[in-house]
Amino acid sequence: MTAPAPPTGRRSLLIAWAALMALTALSWSLAGSGHAGLGVEPSTALIVVLTFVKVLVVGYVFMELHRSVRRLRTVYTCWCATACAVIVALYLLM
């Protein structure tokens, strides 16, 4: 049996919030600046990937999955990766 992780501190919450704001700003800049010279499809796919990174951060930090059992974290991470890959693949192939 493993010892429970320490509770999430204010500093880690602030870092997670700042990371979410930075990822949101990056997504906005990709969408608003003519797709940063990448083209529409690659920049949209990158925005979707950034969105799923934000989903991971929210799950691990704010929903406290970092304190849960390893299997739950693995299932959550695999679900995020699979959903992201399917959405990006369908977008690029359609």
Side-chain angles (χ1 to χ4, degrees), residues 40-76:
V40 175
E41 287 85 11
S43 63
T44 303
L46 182 59
I47 290 170
V48 171
V49 170
L50 291 174
T51 301
F52 274 94
V53 170
K54 289 171 26 177
V55 168
L56 279 170
V57 170
V58 168
Y60 273 88
V61 177
F62 294 103
M63 294 174 65
E64 295 189 357
L65 284 176
H66 67 280
R67 299 178 69 189
S68 68
V69 294
R70 184 177 298 183
R71 287 183 189 161
L72 182 59
R73 290 189 309 251
T74 302
V75 167
Y76 179 72

